[in-house]
Amino acid sequence: MLQPCKCGSGDAFGICCKPFFDGIAVAQSPEQLVRSRFTAFARGNQGAYLLNTWFPATAKGLTEIDLSNVSRRWNRLEIVGWGVQGDDGWAELNAHFTDLSDATVARVMHEKSIFTRIDGRWLYIGGEVVNG
Ligand SMILES: [Zn+2]
């Protein structure tokens, strides 16, 4: 059964973000990292992947269990832009969601995120939520 990936790439989950979660593939760009992390939040149970792709110094206090919980219904990811300069990266995104308690109100989290590449792996440093 081909299940479309939550990240919105148009590809099936099995060949899109799943290989990242399985440790078979490594995100090659901030864009791939954003997509895979959105899918991880949307599907849940991927706390280990979220922690492994979080810059350790800014992930302090976060646990795999917390990050495995689905706290919102993440419906759609829209990547506004992204770029790379050396081992620094950025992305700007709109994450469309509804609250678990009320699916009737469509909401958007607009975030500008920054990333760094260490030993060939892109890591999420943090993001500034512009609204949401
Ligand atoms: Zn995907």
Side-chain angles (χ1 to χ4, degrees), residues 5-13 15-18 20 35-36 39:
C5 194
K6 280 271 188 185
C7 76
S9 65
D11 288 330
F13 172 63
I15 60 165
C16 186
C17 290
K18 187 172 187 287
F20 301 129
R35 287 190 180 284
S36 62
T39 302

